Amino acid sequence: MRFHSAACAAVLSAATASAFSFSPLAVPPSAARNGPRSFAPSRPAFGLPANTNALASTSYAPTSSITALNLAGGGGPEALDDYIQTLSNSESKLASKIQNPKLVKLAGAAALPLSYVVGAAMTPSRRLAARAVGGVVTAVTAGAIGKSAVEEDVRRSCPAAIAKRLKELGVDGANIADGIARLQEDYGVDDEDFTAMKTEVYAVYLAGMAKNPLAKTAELKELSNLKSALNLNNQQTGQAHAEAAVTFYRDITRFTSVDELYDEDHPDRVSLDKLLFLSERAFKQGGETEEAFTFEFSRVAKALGGLSITDGLDRAKDLAKPFYERALASTRAKLNSGAVNSDMLSRARATLGIEDVEAKEMHIEAFAREVRVQLGLPEEEDDDDYMDDYNENQDKRVETVAEVKQKLEAMKEAEEKKEIEDTSDIKFKDGAFDTLSQLQDVLGLTDEDADYEIAAATTDYWRNTALSTLEDAIAKTKTPAKAWEIIQTRQNELYLKDSSMKEMMTSMVMQALGSPLEKVNGFARVNNAAATYDGLIDAIAAKETCKDVLKEAGWSEFEDFEKVCFDPSDRASACGFITNPDRHNMYKMFFVRSVKTNEDGVKNISEESYGLLKELRGMLGISEEEGLGQIRAFFGPELQSVLSEATDEISRGNTTEELLVNLKEKVDRVINDYKLDDEMVRSYAGPLYNRAVTDIGMNTPGGIPSTEEVETLASLRKLLNIADDETYDVHLEVFGGAYKKGIKEALGTTGVIREEFRQPLEDLRDRLGVSEEAAKEIYMDAIGERMKPMVEFISNEMERLVLTKDQLAQKRGTDYGEDYFKDGSKASGNLGLGTDGNIMSDIMNLIDFYVENGIVQKEVVGTKKVEKKVPADEEGGEEKTITEEEPVYESTYPITAIGMGCVDEQVAELCYRQFVVSSFTDQSPNAARYEASKATFGGILGLSADKMEEVGSSIGGMVYDNYITQSMSTKGALDQQDMMFLANIQGKLGISAEKGEEMLLDTQKKIISEEASALFDSGLVTPEKVKEFREKCNSMGLDLETDVGLTKSRLVSMFAMEITPGIDSGEITMESADLLAEIQESLGLTEEEGEEVVAGLIQERANGILADVIGCMLRGMEVVAVESMEKLVQYAAFVDGDLGLDVEESNANRACNLFESKDWSGVDEEAKEEQISLLKKALGISA
């Protein structure tokens, strides 16, 4: 049986490859270095299917399987070695021996002999490459493998060639890009396949870089050079990174579990993070848009274990930070060399992708490290001791409350025994300030940031010095001045700013004073009064020492020392940690120990003790009121006892001066011995006096104390040192009813208190001990009770007079019969108000009651200047006029009908309106009295001055309207008699001059507006009537547009109508332009509007006259034509000849000649020439 040569060659080739174990998955040396690993099942080289038909394929399939990436041995170049080795194991024997692809392609014109292929496969030799050409040439006659198979082998050798060239020339070689580009032509690869090959090589190289967990910044440049060498664009680079991520993660997870990859220190986890970092930098430095970057990086992140883009970026940043930390460390090391600056750090951040916020944090951390170094301390704080203590205590548990207390006491005792560490030798090195300032400038830190880090590193050392120094000052081993000198010197050594010292010093003082207070609190809790007292004495002394130290600083903030350092609401203050009950308990113990008993057995507190109590109140946050409460609680019973005994003794009556002296001496002794303040004495004396007043009021007939009882109360006030005004309230409560009863009795049946009763009422007030203000209120209350039924009667009568039966029933909710009304008819009257029925006498009785009882009050509301005549000092001298200021009074009404709730505002207004109308229409002798009482009645009702004027104006408006309308309809204008009548009405109705003028003007406007409507709506308007109407409005001072309400178009029509006859008749000419201006201005038109009207009239007239002229000339009526031309010249004078006429030249010349030929007798030459010139201009003839 004969086989086809190509098929036979393929079978033998496959068999020999299997026999000699030339598998594509042969393990390269790097795999052995990485330890035993499991491999994927073998597959054909370049992804070809395992059959002979595949040899005919011409498309490129990537060969870099997971195996190829798995063999990447920790760097780009090493990965290329493994890649080349992997490809060499998977290539055909011919492809693996090709050294000159062009020569092989030429030789490929003839088929290779099958025996050569088989022999080459079975007997590999180093000389095989040398014999390859000869074997290819002789294959022309041997038959079998065709030209296409040879070209395919050559093409499939291209990826390895790309990798080799990168190895030979390096990614940063001068001609590397051109060298790789030439491989495409040498191996006959199309653009698409060549790009895919380069992308694969990039992915292999990238995976190799990621394989090495140790990241270097040089790798960023290396990766950028690789992209340039392979001439890949951003899209191709993104594809390479995505492919590398997929295969790299698959390779990693074959040997490392997902749980292990959660360990940030695991080498494979570091490799994954490095790949994320390299990808993020490659995309950013490649100039990707934000959208493109998100897409490409998200592909890489998702391929590496399904990470989100946020997590991927965070992990990339975590890898970038150590690079920048090393850059910062290098900056600090080279700071004094002058070789570093802020621009270098800026470039490093841009290269590594460090954001400004992260950079600032890292800069601050680097600065803080340098601060510690300049202090001679390790860069990192040693927290091991703290953690050891913490871990040791984790295993200790307590079972009971007693064990907890025992543990706390032990910890407290240990803390008290703990000595302050001596850190005085820790200070900045010489030149540290310059070094730190230079570093701050390079790092771009603000003064606030630098100061904060210095303070954070040095504050504890300053605190140690400050606290120990304050304790020495409290112990009197150092003076306050020396203590402050040491504290301030330590501040300067540690570069601490003055701005932070006040707060820090406050904290130290609080700590120094808090310790003794805490110790004293322990004594107080177990009722150790002696130790508490002594401890508080020491604490007060310590406080004074601390105040003296702070005085040396000269800070004004500490002038109120207690407020700053002993705020009980502030937990951090010197007393803030002590509970409110504990603070009061301590103060109480100190107070009790401060009370001493003298040899006479009298308890008292010395001046010194009072001073110490005051100091202690400030320290414990106890207010003055609380301190007084303590005194009252202690001495109050004795004060109460002596005051009660004295009060009872005086209340028995028969009080003598000697008794008062003896009792007061006894009371004053207690007050002085215990140093009780007046406020405390008053607080005990007041209730005793009130009780005495109440007892007298209950036992007095009629509620009025006798003369002896009044004297008893006066003696009590003197004994208890109580002022009269302090007793007004109790006297009002007890005796106020008796005073009100007296007022009502004085009012009698008339309702008016006669003059002879007023002084007895004042004597009664004085006897009852009621204040003038309270007596006035009682008086007003009594008057109000008497006044209320009077107002209600007037209100009811008013409603009955002005409302119909149905209206009244609806208002009051009651049905009234006809007999309820006086005449059994409905309300009627003038001006829309009921005037039938006379309630004026009731109103006047109310007014008399109000006025005669002195309820109206005068109050000063301002001043006014008045001129006064001063007689001459001497005979024959001149009289002088001086200006003085006099007060301006205003009547006020403390009791009103509205205020008492007798009437609402609507009814009050109705009553006032009725009173005004009645006073206005009344012709009886009482008319003047009614008119004078209007304001008083309005005030009694509770109406304001504005409301009363409003009511008067509304009534006056109706009167004005009727009177003025009638007068103007008969006379056309108001004369002096009319104005006097209106002024009289104005006075009667209480209308101000301004309001009267306003009402007059409004009425005139109304009448003129109605006249204008009648004139223009009649259709009979003439220029004469227009002129008459205009002049009438002008004489009344009315604006035709704003006051009369005529529109602008109507005013323009009036102007045109009035001037037209004058222009047509020649009465109005250019010489009479002032008349036009007068008419225009009186109509309220602007100059432009007037000119527009005149121009329109003249234009209209001129066109008609021109037609007449031409018609007359055609008919031979030259005389008439000349007369019309004279009228045309008259119109032309208004517009300087510019009439805008359209005239044929022949007609214009004929008319002009005719006009020149007219009789000019009696006309001077200048006027003649002017008229001829105007006609020529009008007819459009040039001069």
Side-chain angles (χ1 to χ4, degrees):
M1 181 181 293
R2 295 178 59 83
F3 293 92
H4 192 279
S5 60
C8 183
V11 171
L12 290 175
S13 176
T16 54
S18 176
F20 286 91
S21 300
F22 293 155
S23 169
L25 301 178
V27 180
S30 61
R33 289 193 301 268
N34 290 332
R37 299 203 177 198
S38 61
F39 295 91
S42 63
R43 62 181 183 177
F46 300 104
L48 291 174
N51 59 64
T52 56
N53 294 331
L55 294 175
S57 174
T58 60
S59 63
Y60 174 72
T63 64
S64 62
S65 67
I66 187 163
T67 304
L69 295 182
N70 178 40
L71 298 178
E78 290 81 358
L80 291 180
D81 288 336
D82 293 342
Y83 178 66
I84 294 168
Q85 182 64 37
T86 302
L87 292 179
S88 66
N89 290 338
S90 61
E91 291 175 347
S92 67
K93 294 303 177 179
L94 175 60
S96 64
K97 303 302 180 180
I98 291 175
Q99 299 295 324
N100 191 336
K102 289 186 177 180
L103 182 58
V104 173
K105 288 165 64 179
L106 290 173
L112 293 174
L114 177 62
S115 59
Y116 177 82
V117 176
V118 175
M122 296 181 63
T123 55
S125 169
R126 293 185 179 181
R127 300 174 62 192
L128 180 59
R131 296 199 302 271
V133 177
V136 171
V137 174
T138 56
V140 174
T141 57
I145 300 176
K147 175 182 177 183
S148 61
V150 173
E151 290 180 346
E152 182 66 17
D153 279 344
V154 172
R155 189 174 65 83
R156 290 183 180 278
S157 301
C158 188
I162 295 174
K164 290 178 181 177
R165 185 143 300 178
L166 281 172
K167 282 283 294 178
E168 293 168 0
L169 300 180
V171 295
D172 57 347
N175 301 314
I176 181 62
D178 293 338
I180 291 177
R182 286 196 297 271
L183 293 177
Q184 180 179 2
E185 181 182 355
D186 292 347
Y187 284 85
V189 182
D190 59 31
D191 291 342
E192 182 178 354
D193 285 350
F194 193 64
T195 298
M197 293 174 185
K198 292 189 294 180
T199 302
E200 179 180 337
V201 171
Y202 184 99
V204 169
Y205 199 100
L206 173 63
M209 295 173 70
K211 190 68 176 178
N212 183 0
L214 180 61
K216 297 176 289 185
T217 53
E219 290 177 319
L220 299 176
K221 180 65 175 177
E222 184 180 354
L223 199 59
S224 176
N225 290 336
L226 176 64
K227 176 184 175 183
S228 300
L230 296 175
N231 195 24
L232 298 179
N233 60 29
N234 288 345
Q235 184 177 1
Q236 293 157 0
T237 304
Q239 181 62 30
H241 278 263
E243 292 175 359
V246 170
T247 53
F248 190 71
Y249 186 75
R250 196 181 333 165
D251 179 38
I252 288 286
T253 53
R254 286 182 178 274
F255 314 105
T256 306
S257 66
V258 176
D259 291 339
E260 289 178 301
L261 292 180
Y262 282 120
D263 181 6
E264 296 180 357
D265 297 326
H266 194 282
D268 288 340
R269 164 63 184 269
V270 177
S271 293
L272 294 178
D273 292 347
K274 181 178 179 181
L275 182 55
L276 287 167
F277 169 68
L278 294 175
S279 299
E280 188 270 342
R281 287 291 82 207
F283 298 152
K284 284 290 187 181
Q285 294 177 350
E288 289 282 24
T289 64
E290 193 62 33
E291 293 80 2
F293 172 82
T294 301
F295 170 74
E296 298 293 0
F297 190 79
S298 62
R299 286 206 297 169
V300 174
K302 186 176 181 181
L304 297 180
L307 298 174
S308 67
I309 187 171
T310 302
D311 292 339
L313 288 173
D314 289 342
R315 287 170 61 167
K317 289 178 182 178
D318 290 341
L319 196 71
K321 288 180 180 179
F323 289 120
Y324 195 61
E325 287 174 351
R326 289 198 290 272
L328 292 175
S330 176
T331 298
R332 289 170 48 209
K334 301 176 182 178
L335 189 62
N336 295 324
S337 66
V340 292
N341 53 55
S342 57
D343 292 338
M344 295 174 63
L345 291 177
S346 179
R347 290 193 295 271
R349 291 196 298 276
T351 300
L352 297 171
I354 302 295
E355 296 180 355
D356 291 342
V357 175
E358 297 170 334
K360 182 176 180 179
E361 293 179 357
M362 298 174 72
H363 286 188
I364 290 175
E365 183 179 354
F367 186 84
R369 290 174 179 271
E370 187 62 29
V371 169
R372 291 185 60 81
V373 169
Q374 294 298 324
L375 286 169
L377 301 171
E379 290 190 10
E380 298 280 354
E381 289 191 59
D382 187 7
D383 294 333
D384 290 344
D385 294 340
Y386 169 76
M387 291 305 300
D388 290 342
D389 294 340
Y390 177 80
N391 293 330
E392 179 183 354
N393 292 326
Q394 286 300 298
D395 298 330
K396 296 181 179 180
R397 296 290 184 268
V398 292
E399 301 295 338
T400 64
V401 175
E403 291 182 2
V404 173
K405 292 182 177 180
Q406 184 179 0
K407 179 65 177 175
L408 290 175
E409 289 296 331
M411 294 171 61
K412 184 177 179 181
E413 184 179 353
E415 187 67 24
E416 291 177 352
K417 293 181 179 179
K418 185 176 179 181
E419 296 183 358
I420 300 176
E421 182 181 0
D422 184 10
T423 57
S424 58
D425 58 331
I426 297 177
K427 60 185 69 175
F428 282 106
K429 303 175 181 177
D430 293 339
F433 183 83
D434 294 337
T435 300
L436 292 176
S437 298
Q438 185 179 357
L439 181 61
Q440 176 189 346
D441 185 54
V442 171
L443 297 179
L445 298 180
T446 63
D447 290 342
E448 290 76 10
D449 290 333
D451 292 343
Y452 178 84
E453 295 305 319
I454 292 175
T458 60
T459 297
D460 286 344
Y461 304 122
W462 177 86
R463 289 179 186 275
N464 289 342
T465 300
L467 185 58
S468 61
T469 304
L470 282 175
E471 290 179 349
D472 290 345
I474 291 172
K476 306 302 181 183
T477 59
K478 287 185 176 67
T479 65
K482 183 62 177 178
W484 175 245
E485 179 184 348
I486 294 172
I487 292 172
Q488 195 171 39
T489 301
R490 189 60 170 150
Q491 170 199 349
N492 296 332
E493 290 176 350
L494 298 176
Y495 298 167
L496 291 172
K497 299 288 186 179
D498 289 339
S499 56
S500 62
M501 283 298 295
K502 295 175 184 178
E503 183 177 354
M504 292 165 56
M505 196 65 193
T506 302
S507 176
M508 287 297 95
V509 169
M510 290 179 179
Q511 186 174 346
L513 296 177
S515 296
L517 284 179
E518 184 178 12
K519 185 176 181 180
V520 172
N521 189 34
F523 296 141
R525 284 185 171 182
V526 295
N527 292 326
N528 188 344
T532 301
Y533 180 84
D534 294 340
L536 288 175
I537 290 291
D538 294 339
I540 293 172
K543 183 205 70 169
E544 292 301 318
T545 299
C546 291
K547 286 177 67 174
D548 292 339
V549 173
L550 292 176
K551 285 180 182 177
E552 295 294 331
W555 292 332
S556 60
E557 288 81 357
F558 291 94
E559 290 178 358
D560 192 351
F561 184 83
E562 285 76 9
K563 183 177 180 180
V564 174
C565 298
F566 296 95
D567 183 1
S569 61
D570 182 5
R571 294 280 299 174
S573 73
C575 68
F577 63 94
I578 306 175
T579 65
N580 187 59
D582 285 343
R583 286 185 286 107
H584 282 80
N585 185 40
M586 293 164 63
Y587 181 80
K588 181 179 180 181
M589 288 187 178
F590 191 88
F591 176 84
V592 173
R593 298 283 295 188
S594 299
V595 177
K596 307 295 183 183
T597 303
N598 60 20
E599 54 189 20
D600 297 329
V602 178
K603 297 179 180 178
N604 59 19
I605 300 177
S606 65
E607 291 293 338
E608 181 183 0
S609 295
Y610 265 111
L612 292 175
L613 283 170
K614 183 177 180 180
E615 296 289 337
L616 187 58
R617 284 197 296 272
M619 292 177 62
L620 296 178
I622 294 175
S623 65
E624 291 294 326
E625 291 74 15
E626 291 172 319
L628 289 175
Q630 188 69 47
I631 295 176
R632 290 172 182 173
F634 194 86
F635 297 117
E638 297 194 31
L639 178 62
Q640 177 73 28
S641 176
V642 69
L643 289 176
S644 297
E645 290 177 3
T647 301
D648 292 341
E649 186 63 39
I650 290 179
S651 297
R652 292 189 182 97
N654 194 23
T655 304
T656 63
E657 189 65 28
E658 185 177 356
L659 176 63
L660 273 176
V661 171
N662 292 332
L663 292 177
K664 189 166 182 59
E665 181 180 348
K666 187 176 181 180
V667 171
D668 290 344
R669 187 183 306 115
V670 173
I671 294 174
N672 295 330
D673 286 345
Y674 300 150
K675 294 182 174 55
L676 304 181
D677 58 85
D678 294 340
E679 181 65 29
M680 180 179 177
V681 174
R682 280 195 297 270
S683 67
Y684 282 90
L688 293 173
Y689 181 81
N690 294 346
R691 188 187 67 185
V693 173
T694 303
D695 291 342
I696 291 175
M698 293 176 63
N699 298 319
T700 298
I704 300 177
S706 63
T707 304
E708 183 181 356
E709 289 171 332
V710 171
E711 293 176 355
T712 298
L713 292 177
S715 299
L716 272 178
R717 290 195 297 273
K718 185 175 181 181
L719 170 69
L720 300 176
N721 198 26
I722 298 177
D724 290 348
D725 58 358
E726 295 178 8
T727 66
Y728 286 155
D729 290 341
V730 66
H731 279 256
L732 175 63
E733 181 181 352
V734 175
F735 303 123
Y739 184 69
K740 186 173 184 180
K741 181 180 178 182
I743 294 173
K744 288 182 177 180
E745 291 175 352
L747 287 171
T749 57
T750 62
V752 176
I753 300 177
R754 298 200 304 270
E755 188 63 33
E756 59 266 25
F757 291 157
R758 293 192 176 276
Q759 186 58 44
L761 277 177
E762 180 63 20
D763 295 339
L764 176 62
R765 180 196 69 78
D766 186 59
R767 182 174 182 177
L768 297 177
V770 178
S771 67
E772 292 184 6
E773 292 77 10
K776 186 175 181 180
E777 291 181 6
I778 295 173
Y779 179 76
M780 293 298 177
D781 189 38
I783 292 294
E785 291 180 5
R786 190 67 176 266
M787 171 182 161
K788 185 173 183 180
M790 301 171 69
V791 175
E792 289 176 345
F793 175 79
I794 294 172
S795 172
N796 291 336
E797 284 295 298
M798 183 60 62
E799 290 178 349
R800 190 170 68 85
L801 287 172
V802 300
L803 299 179
T804 65
K805 180 180 66 173
D806 294 337
Q807 290 174 333
L808 189 62
Q810 183 179 3
K811 177 175 178 61
R812 300 186 182 178
T814 305
D815 186 16
Y816 296 94
E818 294 292 341
D819 59 338
Y820 183 78
F821 295 87
K822 287 186 176 181
D823 59 357
S825 63
K826 296 181 180 180
S828 62
N830 299 323
L831 301 177
L833 297 171
T835 56
D836 293 340
N838 186 12
I839 62 170
M840 296 297 287
S841 61
D842 297 317
I843 294 177
M844 292 309 299
N845 288 337
L846 174 63
I847 294 174
D848 291 341
F849 166 81
Y850 204 95
V851 173
E852 291 179 19
N853 281 311
I855 304 175
V856 180
Q857 299 177 0
K858 300 290 186 180
E859 292 185 359
V860 177
V861 294
T863 59
K864 63 178 180 180
K865 292 183 178 180
V866 295
E867 292 184 352
K868 291 184 177 181
K869 299 292 185 178
V870 180
D873 297 334
E874 300 176 357
E875 185 177 353
E878 294 183 359
E879 185 180 54
K880 298 180 180 179
T881 302
I882 61 172
T883 302
E884 293 182 351
E885 283 194 355
E886 290 186 352
V888 177
Y889 295 95
E890 184 178 88
S891 297
T892 60
Y893 300 83
I895 307 174
T896 64
I898 294 177
M900 291 190 300
C902 300
V903 296
D904 56 23
E905 187 171 352
Q906 184 179 4
V907 174
E909 184 178 337
L910 183 63
C911 292
Y912 180 74
R913 182 183 296 273
Q914 176 65 33
F915 185 79
V916 172
V917 170
S918 297
S919 64
F920 175 69
T921 58
D922 191 274
Q923 300 299 322
S924 69
N926 291 323
R929 185 164 176 249
Y930 294 160
E931 183 178 343
S933 302
K934 291 197 303 290
T936 303
F937 183 55
I940 293 171
L941 291 173
L943 299 178
S944 64
D946 293 339
K947 176 59 71 174
M948 286 187 279
E949 184 175 358
E950 179 185 335
V951 173
S953 298
S954 66
I955 298 172
M958 297 172 63
V959 177
Y960 267 52
D961 188 83
N962 292 333
Y963 183 81
I964 295 173
T965 301
Q966 183 179 1
S967 296
M968 293 186 68
S969 63
T970 57
K971 294 184 287 188
L974 300 178
D975 55 23
Q976 185 177 2
Q977 184 178 358
D978 294 329
M979 299 304 294
M980 290 177 63
F981 177 77
L982 293 176
N984 184 39
I985 294 175
Q986 176 181 319
K988 283 190 172 185
L989 296 177
I991 301 172
S992 64
E994 294 78 9
K995 188 65 178 180
E997 184 178 350
E998 180 184 341
M999 290 167 59
L1000 175 60
L1001 184 60
D1002 289 343
T1003 303
Q1004 289 178 328
K1005 288 179 182 178
K1006 177 185 175 183
I1007 295 172
I1008 292 298
S1009 297
E1010 292 174 352
E1011 185 178 336
S1013 299
L1015 173 65
F1016 293 108
D1017 294 344
S1018 65
L1020 301 176
V1021 61
T1022 63
E1024 292 76 13
K1025 290 183 178 180
V1026 169
K1027 179 180 179 182
E1028 180 184 354
F1029 179 75
R1030 174 179 62 79
E1031 291 177 346
K1032 182 178 181 179
C1033 293
N1034 292 158
S1035 66
M1036 297 173 66
L1038 299 178
D1039 185 274
L1040 289 168
E1041 184 175 7
T1042 58
D1043 295 335
V1044 182
L1046 298 181
T1047 62
K1048 181 67 72 173
S1049 60
R1050 175 61 58 86
L1051 294 174
V1052 170
S1053 299
M1054 290 174 63
F1055 181 66
M1057 184 178 293
E1058 188 173 347
I1059 66 173
T1060 297
I1063 292 176
D1064 291 343
S1065 65
E1067 180 183 353
I1068 298 177
T1069 63
M1070 285 300 296
E1071 285 73 19
S1072 59
D1074 291 343
L1075 177 60
L1076 282 175
E1078 178 186 347
I1079 298 172
Q1080 162 220 316
E1081 291 176 357
S1082 66
L1083 289 172
L1085 299 178
T1086 63
E1087 185 177 349
E1088 292 76 12
E1089 291 171 337
E1091 291 176 355
E1092 185 179 350
V1093 172
V1094 172
L1097 287 172
I1098 291 174
Q1099 180 71 44
E1100 181 181 352
R1101 297 291 191 279
N1103 286 327
I1105 293 173
L1106 177 63
D1108 291 341
V1109 170
I1110 295 174
C1112 288
M1113 287 191 302
L1114 291 175
R1115 292 173 175 79
M1117 302 169 62
E1118 285 84 357
V1119 175
V1120 178
V1122 169
E1123 291 176 353
S1124 297
M1125 280 188 279
E1126 289 175 349
K1127 180 70 67 175
L1128 191 65
V1129 169
Q1130 179 183 336
Y1131 289 153
F1134 281 97
V1135 292
D1136 194 24
D1138 185 12
L1139 293 174
L1141 301 176
D1142 185 12
V1143 190
E1144 291 184 6
E1145 186 177 353
S1146 59
N1147 288 332
N1149 290 329
R1150 182 181 175 185
C1152 188
N1153 293 332
L1154 186 63
F1155 187 74
E1156 291 178 354
S1157 301
K1158 86 180 190 84
D1159 184 8
W1160 293 98
S1161 301
V1163 180
D1164 60 42
E1165 190 66 25
E1166 184 179 355
K1168 173 185 175 182
E1169 292 300 326
E1170 183 180 357
Q1171 291 183 31
I1172 294 173
S1173 176
L1174 284 173
L1175 181 63
K1176 286 183 178 181
K1177 287 183 181 181
L1179 298 178
I1181 298 175
S1182 58

